[in-house]
Amino acid sequence: MGLIEDELDEVRRCCETQVPYTKVVTTVPAMVRIEVEKTSFKKIIVCFLFPSEYPSQPILIELKSKTLKDKLLTGLTKICEDEAKKNIGKPQIILVLKLISKFLEENPLSACADEISTLKSLLGPEDSIRLSQKSSTVSLKLQKNRYTLQAKLTIPENYPIERVDIGATDCNFPRVFKVWFVENAKELARRCVEPPLKPKPNQPRFEAKTSLLPAAKFLIESVQRYPCEPCQICRQVLFPADPEAAIHNEKAAAHVERVYCGHAYHHDCLILYMKTPPFQNGKKCPGCGNRIYHEKWKVTPELAEARWASEQAKARELGDVVEFIKDCTL
Ligand SMILES: [Zn+2]
Ligand SMILES: [Zn+2]
């Protein structure tokens, strides 16, 4: 048998046992085709062609993937070609496949390489990003004025079928904001991978989407936004310049309340606004016109109207009494 036949025989016998994640598809002298599949998303089809002078020349390699991006494949192809060149004169297929298999094993962030490059373009001037292939995490350090949020986003093995997980490691926003940043980022990520409970009619079949970018984008935009956010009633900037002076007591007059639409209010500005008519169809946010939903004020328009009427009646009665006393003392 010739050298090529020997090598093909070895590939057929040993490839799948020696090189993790491989599946041998075609092994004929005109074409060798092997699939390397770590997960359905991290799957590369490797095609080899023997040049006329093989193995004195490096084997020709082509990588294809439906999910991994071209830029990543181009870089990996270059590494594989270098490996083939280093092993001129020897069988090269198994060596190259070992390299690809190891790459998929050791680079979990390859599944979101594209999202990471978009993410970098969204960062503010004081923000920074750190990647760790070893722990499969993307760490964001987000900063606006003196407010900061450090978050760790973990890419699961089965990404993007499973969503990214999010945790805050450091944050000097008031507690309710810290909780909301993390929980809402998780919720946005969850919606990328779980179909809605009540799908709308004529909606195309649900397919899991990549969740790193939507979650990280929300965190970046929120940290940029809230340190400068004005109260929708009094128009003053809500957070003090010094985060140390931020109000953590949730019942304090100047505590910052965020409502469903994302706009924010001083606690007392919001209470006053919620208690003042008109109540028809619920109170609307002056910032965007959407109805205000807030867990602390789950009051129907009817109830608000009734309360308002009763308070007005009391005020009138009091006014009458005051007038009466005045009359008597004159
Ligand atoms: Zn205010
Ligand atoms: Zn609003």
Side-chain angles (χ1 to χ4, degrees), residues 4-295:
I4 290 179
E5 274 303 334
D6 286 349
E7 184 169 354
L8 291 179
D9 192 46
E10 193 199 349
V11 170
R12 277 179 224 117
R13 280 188 298 108
C14 310
C15 181
E16 290 178 12
T17 51
Q18 279 186 13
V19 190
Y21 321 123
T22 53
K23 186 173 156 226
V24 177
V25 183
T26 316
T27 48
V28 292
M31 160 70 87
V32 178
R33 187 184 165 99
I34 317 274
E35 290 176 3
V36 190
E37 180 172 0
K38 176 116 200 291
T39 68
S40 60
F41 201 79
K42 284 178 252 177
K43 178 175 174 178
I44 299 176
I45 295 154
V46 192
C47 297
F48 295 99
L49 272 178
F50 294 105
S52 53
E53 303 296 315
Y54 187 80
S56 307
Q57 284 179 320
I59 197 160
L60 302 170
I61 305 155
E62 189 189 7
L63 306 184
K64 295 180 204 166
S65 174
K66 279 190 185 152
T67 50
L68 298 175
K69 297 301 164 190
D70 289 346
K71 211 169 134 192
L72 197 117
L73 290 181
T74 310
L76 186 57
T77 306
K78 174 84 178 54
I79 297 169
C80 291
E81 286 168 351
D82 290 348
E83 180 74 5
K85 273 183 210 151
K86 267 195 271 169
N87 290 283
I88 279 176
K90 291 189 252 175
Q92 296 160 20
I93 293 177
I94 296 264
L95 293 172
V96 168
L97 288 171
K98 279 185 176 165
L99 199 77
I100 295 170
S101 172
K102 192 163 168 248
F103 172 84
L104 289 182
E105 177 69 45
E106 292 179 355
N107 292 276
L109 300 181
S110 61
C112 46
D114 235 34
E115 287 183 283
I116 289 169
S117 71
T118 311
L119 194 58
K120 285 180 179 167
S121 71
L122 298 176
L123 293 177
E126 297 171 89
D127 297 342
S128 61
I129 183 169
R130 203 160 41 81
L131 309 176
S132 166
Q133 297 282 3
K134 208 171 170 198
S135 61
S136 190
T137 55
V138 175
S139 299
L140 293 174
K141 189 171 178 203
L142 307 173
Q143 179 106 18
K144 175 76 178 180
N145 302 342
R146 289 165 67 189
Y147 284 86
T148 174
L149 168 69
Q150 288 183 39
K152 194 172 255 188
L153 295 97
T154 308
I155 312 300
E157 170 64 40
N158 202 16
Y159 188 82
I161 307 298
E162 268 176 58
R163 71 164 170 83
V164 59
D165 195 23
I166 301 124
T169 48
D170 191 24
C171 179
N172 62 7
F173 282 85
R175 194 192 64 89
V176 282
F177 275 80
K178 177 184 172 183
V179 171
W180 177 61
F181 289 154
V182 172
E183 293 308 315
N184 200 52
K186 281 187 188 169
E187 171 63 16
L188 291 171
R190 195 187 59 74
R191 282 187 217 159
C192 294
V193 301
E194 285 178 24
L197 285 177
K198 287 185 201 157
K200 293 192 184 109
N202 306 325
Q203 198 90 344
R205 208 173 67 87
F206 180 84
E207 267 181 61
K209 292 185 283 291
T210 52
S211 54
L212 170 65
L213 192 57
K217 189 168 179 264
F218 165 74
L219 295 176
I220 294 168
E221 289 175 351
S222 297
V223 171
Q224 285 296 308
R225 171 180 176 173
Y226 285 100
C228 313
E229 180 84 0
C231 170
Q232 289 302 311
I233 305 298
C234 70
R235 304 307 301 170
Q236 284 175 22
V237 171
L238 289 156
F239 286 119
D242 179 6
E244 293 282 320
I247 291 163
H248 296 271
N249 174 2
E250 289 168 32
K251 288 186 182 132
H255 185 258
V256 183
E257 301 289 339
R258 182 199 46 79
V259 298
Y260 185 74
C261 63
H263 283 116
Y265 300 74
H266 291 114
H267 179 270
D268 278 11
C269 290
L270 182 60
I271 289 188
L272 187 66
Y273 182 65
M274 294 303 280
K275 286 182 173 175
T276 312
F279 300 113
Q280 199 133 44
N281 303 320
K283 296 295 291 180
K284 303 278 192 315
C285 170
C288 61
N290 285 311
R291 186 162 166 191
I292 294 181
Y293 289 98
H294 189 292
E295 56 197 23

